Amino acid sequence: MNRIKALAATSALIAIVGWAPLEFARAQAAEPSVSALVQTAPLQKEDLPRRIEALGEVATGSVESVNFPNAGQVEKLLVTPGQPVKRGAPLAVLGADPAARLAWAQADSAARFARSELKRNEDLFALQLATAAQVDAARRSLRDAEAALAAQHGLGGDAARATVRAPFDGVVTAIAVAQGDRVQPGAQILQLGRADALRVKLGIEPDERSLVRVGMPVAVQDLQGTGRSAAGTVALVQDIVDPKSRLVGVIVNLPRATDADFLIPGMHVRARITLGRVHAWVVPRDAVLSDAQGAWLYQVAGGKARRVAVRQTLQAGARVAVEGEGLDASQPVVVLGNYVLQDGMPVREGAP
């Protein structure tokens, strides 16, 4: 009896062992394979702008010195640094130099005397009491005296004071004298920057200098991130490295148009210099992943993710230009959901 029970138990165990692998295989076949939900975009070639970003400072247009042609004393300063002025606006009042006033008075007296001497000699000549040579000498003396008087007039000796006026619309950038100072003829009184245009001095890396050319377009923005932008052009690329910043200076001209009214001389700004355009494969920046081995992206081939090694050649905002021998224009690029993928993993397309 016990032998019969043992044989029955053994048969049952064999039946169970044989049934289990079959059921496991059936369950495996019924269970769906693991796949990732991703979003894709077609791989296309586009033109991307090639740019250099730099920081800089706004300045006025070309700066010119305002001089006083005569010697004198500064009686009044009518402007301050940073003040905008219109053409013809008074900038300073200078009193005449005492020595210049004396020289003019002496020249005026000599001219009056020479004029009266010529009249007297002409009257005497009419009465045959003077010779023609005497009249000619008096006439020559008068010409010399009038020339000396005209010279003193040009030096401003006949004016007790003179007003220096702005030769053009501009902004006072510096004042070289103080009230009460005595100035020599031709001495600089102040500096005036032109208001019809602005200049921006940018700093770029020395190895970028060869990429920048005069005439290239530049977009200038403030550092506060307001989104306002002014368009200018490269006017000069300097051939020297600044000893303090270790950067190469680039001068940008900005017309004083309405889109540049937010820029003020002395303001710090950021700028983008457009060097040209690059025609390449372009994908969203998030489509490219990287690690110690380099950068890659995933394309979808036959419903499975295919890892493709790439090189990033240019970035413009949220778009990246890439190169890679394995890129296939017929296969879409995974732009969302790529962080969970592995090479060869099944994918299904949709919005993750």
Side-chain angles (χ1 to χ4, degrees):
M1 187 69 174
N2 291 335
R3 182 178 178 83
I4 294 174
K5 289 181 179 180
L7 289 174
T10 302
S11 299
L13 178 60
I14 292 172
I16 292 173
V17 171
W19 173 82
L22 179 61
E23 288 302 314
F24 179 76
R26 289 176 181 174
Q28 285 288 92
E31 183 181 345
S33 60
V34 177
S35 64
L37 181 62
V38 298
Q39 184 175 339
T40 63
L43 178 63
Q44 297 177 338
K45 282 196 171 183
E46 300 178 15
D47 286 335
L48 280 187
R50 189 181 181 191
R51 296 168 174 164
I52 291 178
E53 294 200 1
L55 299 177
E57 184 177 352
V58 180
T60 62
S62 59
V63 178
E64 298 184 16
S65 297
V66 177
N67 306 319
F68 190 63
N70 314 318
Q73 184 176 20
V74 181
E75 292 186 354
K76 292 181 181 179
L77 282 173
L78 305 176
V79 292
T80 58
Q83 179 176 335
V85 294
K86 294 293 185 180
R87 180 177 180 179
L91 304 176
V93 176
L94 277 77
D97 182 69
R101 291 284 292 169
L102 176 61
W104 181 85
Q106 290 174 341
D108 182 59
S109 176
R112 291 173 183 273
F113 177 76
R115 198 172 294 113
S116 64
E117 277 295 294
L118 175 60
K119 179 68 171 61
R120 187 176 68 84
N121 278 280
E122 288 176 340
D123 291 343
L124 291 175
F125 180 76
L127 298 173
Q128 297 183 352
L129 298 176
T131 64
Q134 289 176 314
V135 175
D136 290 340
R139 190 173 287 116
R140 184 169 58 252
S141 296
L142 176 59
R143 285 198 299 269
D144 292 344
E146 287 179 340
L149 181 62
Q152 291 300 322
H153 176 74
L155 294 175
D158 58 332
R161 59 182 50 85
T163 301
V164 181
R165 299 185 179 275
F168 50 80
D169 294 352
V171 178
V172 179
T173 59
I175 296 178
V177 296
Q179 191 163 310
D181 286 353
R182 292 187 179 275
V183 296
Q184 297 301 314
Q188 176 180 287
I189 297 174
L190 52 84
Q191 290 183 331
L192 197 62
R194 291 189 174 273
D196 56 351
L198 294 174
R199 292 186 307 161
V200 178
K201 183 175 181 181
L202 305 175
I204 62 174
E205 296 293 337
D207 60 352
E208 296 174 332
R209 186 197 171 281
S210 61
L211 304 176
V212 182
R213 296 285 184 271
V214 173
M216 285 182 170
V218 182
V220 179
Q221 298 178 330
D222 58 29
L223 297 180
Q224 286 70 39
T226 61
R228 304 185 67 181
S229 178
T233 55
V234 175
L236 173 67
V237 182
Q238 296 180 342
D239 266 338
I240 190 171
V241 174
D242 185 275
K244 294 183 179 179
S245 65
R246 311 306 301 173
L247 299 175
V248 174
V250 175
I251 305 300
V252 177
N253 282 343
L254 286 172
R256 201 68 181 263
T258 54
D259 63 346
D261 58 1
F262 68 98
L263 297 174
I264 303 172
M267 182 179 181
H268 291 275
V269 293
R270 113 173 7 99
R272 291 191 182 97
I273 306 173
T274 301
L275 306 178
R277 305 189 75 82
V278 174
H279 189 67
W281 296 114
V282 177
V283 298
R285 182 176 55 193
D286 292 339
V288 181
L289 305 175
S290 62
D291 59 14
Q293 298 178 352
W296 77 90
L297 54 76
Y298 287 105
Q299 291 190 273
V300 177
K304 294 183 178 181
R306 185 174 71 90
R307 176 168 169 159
V308 182
V310 296
R311 297 178 300 277
Q312 300 184 61
T313 60
L314 180 65
Q315 180 174 327
R319 311 285 286 170
V320 179
V322 295
E323 294 178 348
E325 297 178 357
L327 291 172
D328 189 336
S330 65
Q331 299 173 0
V333 176
V334 178
V335 296
L336 286 178
N338 51 354
Y339 288 94
V340 298
L341 294 181
Q342 294 181 357
D343 192 24
M345 177 183 288
V347 298
R348 59 188 192 281
E349 298 186 36

